[in-house]
Amino acid sequence: MPNKAKQGQESGAGKYNRRRWQIPSKRAKSYADERRAKVHQHGPKEGKELTDYEAGIRSGYLQCQGDHASIYKYKKALAEGKSKEEARAISQSKGKN
């Protein structure tokens, strides 16, 4: 019995060793586009200028996504000539690669 319990722990241990985000979501791409244009591009305010507050909300969201996404690691791996699959694996792994 102890052997079986130990195997279960080992198989589940790696379950939480991968990062959830590897590249920004669609919302992050849309927010980045809106910030560059400084204009709402979706919804009831479409075409109206972004206020400083709304631009700040988008900046905070993008910063959070970038932190969790490890986009730096992803782009660095691509720049080193790795494939997209390899870069995704690197960006999802914790620690130094």
Side-chain angles (χ1 to χ4, degrees):
M1 287 267 184
N3 236 358
K4 206 172 198 178
K6 190 175 183 181
Q7 286 175 346
Q9 286 177 344
E10 288 174 5
S11 64
K15 182 176 175 181
Y16 299 105
N17 286 341
R18 293 186 63 183
R19 296 180 195 272
R20 181 172 177 201
W21 302 103
Q22 69 275 3
I23 52 178
S25 66
K26 291 178 185 178
R27 180 184 292 180
K29 183 180 184 324
S30 175
Y31 275 8
D33 292 341
E34 284 185 348
R35 282 200 61 239
R36 276 188 226 109
K38 298 180 183 181
V39 174
H40 286 278
Q41 296 178 348
H42 306 285
K45 293 184 179 180
E46 188 173 348
K48 293 183 180 177
E49 192 172 329
L50 282 175
T51 65
D52 289 340
Y53 174 77
E54 292 165 335
I57 293 290
R58 282 154 178 73
S59 294
Y61 181 85
L62 292 170
Q63 184 175 2
C64 178
Q65 283 289 303
D67 290 346
H68 291 289
S70 290
I71 196 69
Y72 171 78
K73 289 169 75 176
Y74 181 77
K75 288 184 177 181
K76 183 178 175 188
L78 286 178
E80 291 172 353
K82 305 237 190 273
S83 69
K84 286 186 177 184
E85 292 80 21
E86 290 171 323
R88 174 176 279 171
I90 289 169
S91 73
Q92 285 182 325
S93 65
K94 292 182 180 179
K96 295 183 179 182
N97 286 343

